[in-house]
Amino acid sequence: MKRRVLPGFRLSLGITLVYAAIIILLPLAALIFKAASLGPADYWRIVSSERAVASYGVTVGSALVATLFNLVFGLALAWVLVRYRFPGRRIIDALVDLPFALPTAVAGISLTTLFASNGWFGSALGQIGIKVAYTPLGIMVAMAFTSLPFIVRTVQPVLEELDPALEEAGQTLGSSDWSIFRRVILPLLTPALLAGTSLAFARSLGEFGAIIFIAGNQPFSTEITALLAFIRLEEYDYPASAAIASVMLFAAFVMLAVTNYLQARALRYTVKG
């Protein structure tokens, strides 16, 4: 009798599919069906309203800036945690996961307290003319705080598994440190960077609790799309809320599709190399 590598595979697969259908597909289907209850004209009127378009710009623009910041800072932080040993390293490594454990509302209140005009950071920045709280910059700070771990924790294991012989070979051939990083290390990190960046960007797009306290929530200025959908929900305008949310859902699907394509290309060229 042929033994299966994974005993109970069919049962495990069935439970997994049912769980995914209930937790993931059912809410998404409910959102799509509620948005579809609007006619094409009403749907377009809601999602293309001036206030909605302004919220898209604030959300996507802030998420893009926060993700680019985390791409650079997260890579640098992962590099330091992997390549160097120093006092307090374990504490810093543990603090990276703080946004995962901290409720987003608590994070928003803490950031607002720190970056308000009378806060520790806000008062110092105010002296040089930089205002963070209740501005788009505050939204970027909140997004960067909550999404940083995705890049660090995605890149860190890859850095730990890199063969030091690759860098030693580059040094033997007379390459500079920057050339070794750009031509040897960075191509190997690209798939992980793409994965971490896409997760960080998606988290920034969907962030709510950490933003509403520090943003100021002013329409056309600091109002994010998630807040606008929530406002429509509080007004019991469920179809409008679903329509606005569906725009961000579509944007997330497009972003994930593009990221998966880029990851596949990066992995293919890495394996060939």
Side-chain angles (χ1 to χ4, degrees):
M1 181 177 178
K2 186 178 180 180
R3 299 183 61 183
R4 296 181 181 275
V5 178
L6 295 177
F9 172 73
R10 293 181 179 178
L11 178 61
S12 301
L13 179 62
I15 294 175
T16 302
L17 292 177
V18 171
Y19 179 83
I22 295 175
I23 301 299
I24 301 175
L25 297 181
L26 189 60
L28 293 180
L31 174 65
I32 294 173
F33 285 140
K34 180 59 70 173
S37 65
L38 294 166
D42 290 335
Y43 179 86
W44 179 251
R45 175 180 55 81
I46 292 171
V47 300
S48 64
S49 65
E50 187 178 358
R51 185 174 178 180
V53 172
S55 73
Y56 304 152
V58 171
T59 304
V60 175
S62 300
L64 183 61
V65 174
T67 303
L68 292 176
F69 172 81
N70 281 342
L71 178 61
V72 177
F73 183 74
L75 176 58
L77 180 57
W79 182 276
V80 170
L81 291 175
V82 172
R83 295 301 180 93
Y84 300 98
R85 297 295 182 268
F86 52 90
R89 174 181 169 275
R90 291 183 179 274
I91 296 177
I92 296 177
D93 190 48
L95 287 176
V96 171
D97 295 325
L98 182 62
F100 286 151
L102 195 66
T104 55
V106 176
I109 295 173
S110 302
L111 292 173
T112 304
T113 303
L114 289 173
F115 288 99
S117 58
N118 58 346
W120 290 354
F121 299 155
S123 58
L125 292 173
Q127 294 178 0
I128 58 176
I130 299 177
K131 183 179 180 181
V132 178
Y134 315 124
T135 67
L137 182 57
I139 300 176
M140 299 172 193
V141 169
M143 288 181 174
F145 174 80
T146 55
S147 61
L148 176 63
F150 288 98
I151 294 181
V152 176
R153 292 311 186 205
T154 305
V155 174
Q156 193 172 358
V158 181
L159 278 173
E160 292 174 348
E161 294 297 327
L162 284 182
D163 188 357
L166 297 175
E167 299 176 51
E168 294 173 359
Q171 292 173 350
T172 303
L173 295 173
S175 298
S176 62
D177 291 341
W178 169 245
S179 180
I180 294 173
F181 176 80
R182 182 170 56 88
R183 296 184 178 183
V184 178
I185 299 176
L186 190 58
L188 297 175
L189 293 179
T190 297
L193 283 173
L194 288 173
T197 300
S198 64
L199 290 173
F201 187 72
R203 173 62 187 271
S204 297
L205 286 179
E207 184 55 46
F208 179 74
I211 295 176
I212 58 174
F213 293 99
I214 196 172
N217 309 321
Q218 301 174 12
F220 305 101
S221 178
T222 59
E223 184 179 60
I224 60 173
T225 304
L227 177 61
L228 181 58
F230 181 73
I231 291 174
R232 295 291 177 259
L233 195 63
E234 284 190 320
E235 295 172 349
Y236 301 101
D237 193 352
Y238 301 124
S241 177
I244 294 171
S246 68
V247 174
M248 301 307 296
L249 178 64
F250 176 74
F253 278 139
V254 171
M255 180 202 64
L256 291 176
V258 172
T259 303
N260 287 333
Y261 172 75
L262 294 176
Q263 275 187 284
R265 286 179 59 88
L267 285 171
R268 182 176 61 186
Y269 290 132
T270 300
V271 171
K272 285 183 178 180

